[in-house]
Amino acid sequence: MRVVSGSAKGRSLKAVPGMGTRPTTDKVKEALFSMIGQFFEGGTVLDLFAGTGGLAIEALSRGMDKAIMVDMDPKSIETIRSNLKATGFESQAEVYRNDAMRALKALSKRGLLLDAVFLDPPYRMKNADEFMQLMQDKQMLAPDATLVIEHDSGYTYPETFGSFECVRHAEYGEVAISIYKFRQDAEQSAEEIGKEDQHGHIEL
């Protein structure tokens, strides 16, 4: 594995020892970033099931200011720190060993606004949308934030839910990528409609 593009292009990344993680291949990573934008003008990225940290490191290499990486596996945390050191992004990253849901609740108290989120949970988990909904409920997402789910191609997430809209979907063998946009305007419109409805100003 390596960094595909940007300031750290070509730097090698370590894999997590053992069979417990499934790193995103360079081919899928390159395709993913061609879909969400090749380069970024700053912003904060969250990698919630970080594994090697490869996706967040790629985002830093392509211009993100800051990355937050979360994983439960101590071997993953060790690998992430090693990969950050190898790519020179240690000062731009926060690394936490924590359960994903607990980590989100803790992060929500800091008033962060996330510009991009990577969700690559173990394939047996099929609830990435629940984590996204929590981020919406806790007001953790910047307007028009991009959220990426990497999942089993045999499973399909809804095209829309909450204030999220799937804008791209691609399959690479057993791996699928679903890319969502956070439509804050849709959330506000729904709230406004709800308020109007309560006051009897509109008829359905």
Side-chain angles (χ1 to χ4, degrees):
M1 291 187 303
R2 62 190 175 87
V3 180
V4 176
S5 191
S7 62
K9 181 179 179 179
R11 300 279 180 90
S12 294
L13 300 174
K14 288 184 179 178
V16 179
M19 301 294 289
T21 61
R22 183 198 63 257
T24 303
T25 66
D26 289 349
K27 177 184 175 183
V28 172
K29 191 161 52 178
E30 191 164 8
L32 164 59
F33 280 90
S34 72
M35 288 188 281
I36 68 172
Q38 292 282 356
F39 298 99
F40 308 102
E41 295 181 1
T44 300
V45 58
L46 170 64
D47 197 347
L48 196 55
F49 299 87
T52 66
L55 290 176
I57 287 170
E58 188 73 35
L60 289 172
S61 182
R62 293 171 186 252
M64 282 280 180
D65 292 322
K66 181 178 181 180
I68 301 168
M69 305 173 182
V70 178
D71 206 287
M72 272 294 290
D73 184 356
K75 290 180 181 177
S76 287
I77 298 299
E78 188 178 330
T79 302
I80 290 166
R81 293 193 187 283
S82 176
N83 285 335
L84 284 169
K85 187 174 183 180
T87 51
F89 293 128
E90 289 172 292
S91 64
Q92 291 173 251
E94 298 177 19
V95 183
Y96 300 105
R97 184 186 172 209
N98 208 339
D99 168 79
M101 197 64 81
R102 263 194 226 123
L104 284 181
K105 290 175 181 176
L107 289 169
S108 71
K109 296 173 183 175
R110 292 171 50 183
L112 294 168
L113 281 181
L114 303 169
D115 299 282
V117 180
F118 298 119
L119 297 134
D120 184 12
Y123 281 4
R124 67 178 181 278
M125 294 175 63
K126 302 196 167 40
N127 63 338
D129 47 349
E130 292 178 19
F131 296 104
M132 292 166 62
Q133 190 63 55
L134 178 66
M135 285 181 250
Q136 176 183 325
D137 295 343
K138 297 286 188 182
Q139 300 181 333
M140 298 173 67
L141 299 170
D144 216 33
T146 299
L147 299 96
V148 179
I149 308 175
E150 185 173 332
H151 58 98
D152 186 340
S153 58
Y155 183 77
T156 304
Y157 280 95
E159 286 192 17
T160 60
F161 62 93
S163 294
F164 301 102
E165 177 188 359
C166 185
V167 293
R168 294 290 297 271
H169 176 83
E171 296 182 4
Y172 307 90
E174 297 178 355
V175 177
I177 298 287
S178 294
I179 300 170
Y180 287 82
K181 280 288 185 179
F182 174 60
R183 305 299 192 192
Q184 191 180 42
D185 291 344
E187 182 184 21
Q188 290 172 339
S189 298
E191 288 175 358
E192 288 165 7
I193 289 170
K195 288 175 185 174
E196 291 174 346
D197 193 26
Q198 286 172 7
H199 291 89
H201 293 159
I202 60 172
E203 293 181 7
L204 298 177

